[in-house]
Amino acid sequence: MARATAFAFRKPSVLPGFGLTLGFAVAYLSLIVLVPLAGLVVKTASMGWPEFWSLATDPRTLAALRLSFGASAAAAAMNAVFGLLVAWVLVRYEFPGKRIIDAMVDLPFALPTAVAGIALTAIYAPNGWIGRYAAEAGVKIAYTPIGIFIALVFIGLPFIVRTVQPVLEDMDREVEEMAATLGANRLQTVVRIVLPTLAPALLTGFALAFARAVGEYGSVIFIAGNIPYVSEIAPLLIVIRLTEFNYAAATAIATVMLALSFVILLAINLLQAWSRRRLGHD
Amino acid sequence: MTDVTHGAPVAAPRAFVSPATERRVVRIVLVLVAIAFLAIFLFLPLISVFYEAFRAGFSAFLRAVTERETASAIRLTLLVAAFSVPANLVFGVAAAWAIAKYEFKGKSLLITLIDLPFSISPVTSGLIYVLMFGAQGYIGPVLADHGIKIIFAVPGIVLATIFVTFPFIARELIPIMQAQGSQDEEAALSLGASGLKTFFRVALPNVKWALLYGVLLCNARAMGEFGAVSVVSGHIRGKTNTMPLQVEILYNEYNYGAAFAVASLLALLALFTLIVKSVLEWRYADEIAATRRH
Amino acid sequence: MNALASIDSEGSVALGEPVDVTIENVVKAFDDTPALHGVSLDVKAGELVALLGPSGSGKTTLLRILAGLDAPTAGRVLFGGEDALGLAVQDRNIGFVFQHYALFRHMTVFDNIAFGLTVRPRAQRPSKADIRRRVLGLIDLVQLNGLDKRYPTQLSGGQRQRVALARALAIEPRVLLLDEPFGALDAQVRKDLRRWLREIHDRTGHTTFFVTHDQEEALELADRVVVMSKGRIEQVGSADDIYDSPASPFVFGFIGESSLLPVTVADGAAVLDGVPTGLSAPGAAAGPATLGFRPHDVVLVEDDGPALRGRIIAERRHGARRRLELEVGREHHRAEIDVEVGAPRPEGGRIAFRPERWRIFPPR
């Protein structure tokens, strides 16, 4: 009996350790990730709809969510442009220092967010290296939503570069030559041939950068100014509610964030599956 | 675009530009714009960390990082990493082995679940442990009755760190192990090696660089994690403050020099991680090619 | 014929008119490694020319230079008397087909074919209705009716090849350039498409170059075959010229099956390792030369006069006959001959034979 079910569950293999490794992996996953996450779901469910709704639609919460999602989308869009540019020059051109720059693109992955946060604040504060000149021009960067945007650009950059880079490396140059023989100038080739081919990778990178930015906390709170309704991001509001021991409100915000992120990621995944089917690479 | 002049006696010889690339001036402009962007968004913040850390001189820096509470934060950070990295290492290897070497139902679901912590805000990660183990949590009161404290204590910090760094090692190992297939292990078994021997002598050496990189990345994140740890730590000075939290406290006390001094240590760790990664990539490009994505 | 009528109805006269192509002393060096050593060739308007050679012979390099995808290090290329090298690839008005088609994967068959027309400057761009009419005409010409809304991944290899050709034809090129056009297809599809390409060429009359390493394809399809080796043209001629009167041992060896033996010419006859072969060498200068013959042009002879002698080292069935692998002469040169399946195996594997047709090539 047991043999039969095991057989149906997995293809036979001569390698030992399937039960042990999978069992351990699933148990660990459940303990560390699934059970605690289930706690969040149970907490939300136990609230009851009216309470949840009033917490989720609290004006301060809505303002924070709007800011988090809006700034994240803007930062991911900025990164889509410049990340593509960085990936492009790294793959297509030769220039001095290329290897170092290639390696440094991962800095936001490796640098602790709090360190990035205080460093960006130091630069963009009104007396900072860049903030000083912005202030002279009458623009305040740190302690405003612009500062949040800049921090989110910083942490999102590698996602775009590292998803676009391999696709660009694998891209068939003959397709571009083909377009040229058909009379397309370089700009037409890039806009009508290269960019559509990169679009799925760009979209993936955008989604990853966006998802990361929505939840980002450490690099933002120093530069944000954290003024309710103006520059207070949703993760910070969760922390504030927690310090007030208002677990219900914290849970409601976290649930809304999770749900919104999943909906957006799901939409992007579907869009991608569709385009991948059409382009036929998988 | 076209500069064909039909009347001209001789077409001016011009540098040939491959139609699959841009003109030289365009290439130069694009490289410069990219470098300018990276300089402002990547290099400048990194430089500013070290500049601020050493602005008051090296002795001030030394004083700052050896100060009692900071030293205790450094010790706690090392302790947290010493727990969470091995835990995720064992999990990563086990999960990668099961996923890469066998075909079974629900495999892609498992992969998705492993990635889950990536798409959850660190603050939410902390929150779920507070809901579970906090004073008003599901099992927090029971544990408290037995004298076990998790939230606002070291165990909570370790748990939150494990959660946040959960996917790193598995994610590095799975693609490379999948790409390698199982022939080597099958060959070893057919030659009479035991299962364990096959694992330690064949399977692990095959993925050693990806494993090393995964461990380094996991370690860098574990030591640098801020949001999740911030929620569960309680910020008890000298007790539950890790290095990133200490940076925040010093910064909020306007003790900028000390804040950047501690930050510079974390930045050094990040740089070290990147350097090792790059060296591994250059030397073992083929082996690591499969694990490029994060 | 409808398809052609719609293509011809395009107003511009200069476009699409087949032109003479003159290649003068074209040299190409990649990082100081020469890929083409002074190649010259005259091709008349409307000719279908095969560039035939092994890989590394420079045939694809030459094709890419004609297209403007690469620039030669020295030399001239004229399209209808006009300097083509001064023109960027976009302005050269050539139709190119890559071996792997290089179709635009995110575009339908229709959009792929229409691409060349839609990227024209506004003043020269046909109207939407015109583009539609011409693309559908081309789809009809390449027999892909009803597939215009498909994406390339939904097509078979042969269908993709046809889309690639239609796309190249859409811009009404003066010269059509095909790089191993059938290289990626199954044997049967290859044969069908080969015949079909010949028909299309006869109907549209473009000056056409196609690169191939497949001699059968080249001999069957082309008006003239250009045999290339190591960056040089070895011979230019019709299929009959190439097969029957090969200009060099390379051509002889590359086209059809052959055996080549190093001989010496003395008193108007070939001598192998000091032994007379009985094969005359009319007109050949005395001294070292290469003797070439084809395995099926050989008869066995009695071992008592001038002949080629060898020892059988292997034999295998070869179609209707049996092929013998021999070591010939004192220095054990390799050669192959065909004999009747029922031929008795000689004692000790020793055998004497004489080619009925052979060629003597002077040393290079």
Side-chain angles (χ1 to χ4, degrees), chain C residues 71-115:
Chain C
T73 314
R76 294 213 305 164
V77 174
L78 306 177
F79 282 4
E82 181 197 2
D83 176 29
L85 296 181
L87 296 174
V89 53
Q90 287 89 349
D91 309 320
R92 224 175 265 198
N93 197 225
I94 49 96
F96 202 98
V97 175
F98 282 96
Q99 178 176 3
H100 299 288
Y101 323 130
L103 294 180
F104 307 135
R105 301 214 284 186
H106 60 287
M107 292 186 190
T108 60
V109 167
F110 185 97
D111 292 337
N112 261 280
I113 298 173
F115 183 82

Side-chain angles (χ1 to χ4, degrees), chain A residues 8-11 13-18 21-22 24-25 28-29 32-37 39-40 42-43 78-79 82 85-86 88-89 92-93 95 99 101-115 118-124 129-130 150 153-154 157 162 165 169 173 176-177 180 185-186 190 212 215 217-218 221-222 235 238-239 242 247 250-251 254 257-258 262 265, chain B residues 1 19-22 27 30-31 33-35 37-38 40-49 51-52 87-88 90-91 94-95 97-98 101-105 110 113-114 116-117 119-124 127-132 136 138 159 162-163 166 182 185-186 189 195 213 220-221 224 226-227 230-231 244 247-248 251-252 259-260 263 266-267 270-271 274 277-278 282 292-294:
Chain A
F9 168 59
R10 67 159 173 127
K11 287 197 191 152
S13 164
V14 297
L15 296 184
F18 175 71
T21 53
L22 185 70
F24 175 75
Y28 185 84
L29 175 76
I32 297 290
V33 178
L34 299 184
V35 170
L37 262 181
L40 182 75
V42 170
K43 177 89 183 165
M78 168 105 168
N79 273 329
F82 283 93
L85 174 68
V86 170
W88 183 273
V89 304
R92 291 290 177 100
Y93 305 151
F95 55 93
R99 278 188 156 188
I101 286 180
D102 194 3
M104 286 299 289
V105 166
D106 280 335
L107 181 71
F109 278 145
L111 195 68
T113 53
V115 177
I118 62 169
L120 289 170
T121 311
I123 293 169
Y124 290 101
W129 289 345
I130 294 179
I150 285 181
V153 169
F154 174 84
L157 178 71
R162 294 305 186 217
Q165 218 173 359
E169 273 163 1
R173 299 297 279 271
E176 290 165 64
E177 293 183 335
N185 63 39
R186 190 60 192 155
V190 169
R212 173 73 204 271
Y217 176 69
I221 54 160
F222 297 97
I238 295 179
V239 174
L242 269 178
Y247 292 132
T251 305
M257 278 177 67
L258 270 179
F262 280 143
L265 287 183
Chain B
M1 278 304 291
T21 188
E22 290 71 36
R27 294 203 297 264
L30 290 181
V31 168
V33 171
I35 290 179
F37 173 79
L38 293 175
I40 292 176
F41 278 90
L42 288 189
F43 292 101
L44 212 53
L46 186 65
I47 294 166
S48 82
V49 171
Y51 173 80
E52 299 285 346
N88 282 335
V90 174
F91 163 75
W97 178 267
K101 305 291 181 189
Y102 307 96
E103 289 303 322
F104 57 90
K105 282 181 189 161
L110 181 60
L113 288 178
I114 289 175
L116 201 56
S119 40
I120 292 174
S121 171
V123 170
T124 305
L127 168 69
I128 60 176
Y129 283 102
V130 173
L131 292 179
M132 188 63 62
Q136 299 157 39
Y138 293 107
L159 278 175
I162 288 179
F163 182 97
F166 184 82
S182 314
E185 289 81 5
E186 282 161 9
L189 286 174
Y213 178 52
R221 277 298 183 84
F226 178 73
S230 166
V231 169
V247 169
E248 182 194 20
Y251 188 87
N252 287 342
F260 276 100
L266 288 166
L271 279 180
L274 288 186
K277 182 206 173 187
S278 303
W282 294 338
R292 179 131 213 185
R293 287 160 298 117
H294 290 262

Side-chain angles (χ1 to χ4, degrees), chain A:
Chain A
M1 236 351 248
R3 261 195 101 77
T5 46
F7 190 79
F9 168 59
R10 67 159 173 127
K11 287 197 191 152
S13 164
V14 297
L15 296 184
F18 175 71
L20 180 71
T21 53
L22 185 70
F24 175 75
V26 169
Y28 185 84
L29 175 76
S30 307
L31 234 86
I32 297 290
V33 178
L34 299 184
V35 170
L37 262 181
L40 182 75
V41 176
V42 170
K43 177 89 183 165
T44 308
S46 68
M47 248 179 243
W49 182 250
E51 189 191 356
F52 175 76
W53 184 250
S54 78
L55 289 170
T57 55
D58 169 71
R60 189 168 163 190
T61 304
L62 283 182
L65 287 171
R66 211 177 293 126
L67 176 65
S68 272
F69 281 83
S72 297
M78 168 105 168
N79 273 329
V81 175
F82 283 93
L84 172 65
L85 174 68
V86 170
W88 183 273
V89 304
L90 286 177
V91 172
R92 291 290 177 100
Y93 305 151
E94 291 302 324
F95 55 93
K98 179 168 139 169
R99 278 188 156 188
I100 294 172
I101 286 180
D102 194 3
M104 286 299 289
V105 166
D106 280 335
L107 181 71
F109 278 145
L111 195 68
T113 53
V115 177
I118 62 169
L120 289 170
T121 311
I123 293 169
Y124 290 101
N127 61 350
W129 289 345
I130 294 179
R132 162 180 331 161
Y133 300 103
E136 272 173 28
V139 180
K140 207 172 162 222
I141 297 178
Y143 318 125
T144 72
I146 303 175
I148 299 175
F149 168 77
I150 285 181
L152 297 181
V153 169
F154 174 84
I155 57 137
L157 178 71
F159 291 95
I160 306 269
V161 178
R162 294 305 186 217
T163 43
V164 171
Q165 218 173 359
V167 179
L168 208 46
E169 273 163 1
D170 291 345
M171 215 170 135
D172 186 3
R173 299 297 279 271
E174 284 184 352
V175 171
E176 290 165 64
E177 293 183 335
M178 189 65 229
T181 70
L182 291 171
N185 63 39
R186 190 60 192 155
L187 189 65
Q188 288 172 317
T189 303
V190 169
V191 171
R192 296 192 47 185
I193 305 296
V194 178
L195 289 184
T197 311
L198 291 178
L202 261 178
L203 205 58
T204 310
F206 180 91
L208 291 171
F210 176 80
R212 173 73 204 271
V214 165
E216 180 56 23
Y217 176 69
S219 61
V220 176
I221 54 160
F222 297 97
I223 201 171
N226 306 328
I227 305 155
Y229 299 99
V230 177
S231 58
E232 182 181 69
I233 55 169
L236 176 66
L237 194 54
I238 295 179
V239 174
I240 290 173
R241 294 303 183 218
L242 269 178
T243 52
E244 296 165 358
F245 299 104
N246 188 349
Y247 292 132
T251 305
I253 302 168
T255 304
V256 171
M257 278 177 67
L258 270 179
L260 278 176
S261 293
F262 280 143
V263 166
I264 289 167
L265 287 183
L266 187 71
I268 288 174
N269 270 333
L270 288 177
L271 195 62
Q272 242 194 325
W274 171 76
S275 81
R276 194 171 289 158
R277 233 187 349 267
R278 220 186 57 177
L279 297 180
H281 38 124
D282 37 17

Side-chain angles (χ1 to χ4, degrees), chain C residues 315-353:
Chain C
E315 54 183 302
R316 61 179 189 273
R317 180 73 184 212
H318 190 79
R321 309 185 76 192
R322 183 170 299 282
R323 169 145 310 170
L324 305 181
E325 224 173 280
L326 306 176
E327 279 179 358
V328 177
R330 288 182 193 152
E331 290 174 27
H332 306 300
H333 311 287
R334 286 297 171 95
E336 291 187 333
I337 64 170
D338 290 349
V339 296
E340 294 308 320
V341 171
R345 194 185 155 85
E347 257 173 68
R350 303 217 144 265
I351 199 165
F353 64 94

Side-chain angles (χ1 to χ4, degrees), chain C residues 182 185-197 216-217 220-221:
Chain C
F182 313 116
L185 299 169
D186 307 341
Q188 189 51 46
V189 183
R190 272 173 101 115
K191 284 210 168 128
D192 293 348
L193 273 180
R194 207 186 280 169
R195 197 173 318 124
W196 170 81
L197 178 65
E216 199 188 318
E217 198 167 285
E220 189 182 317
L221 198 50

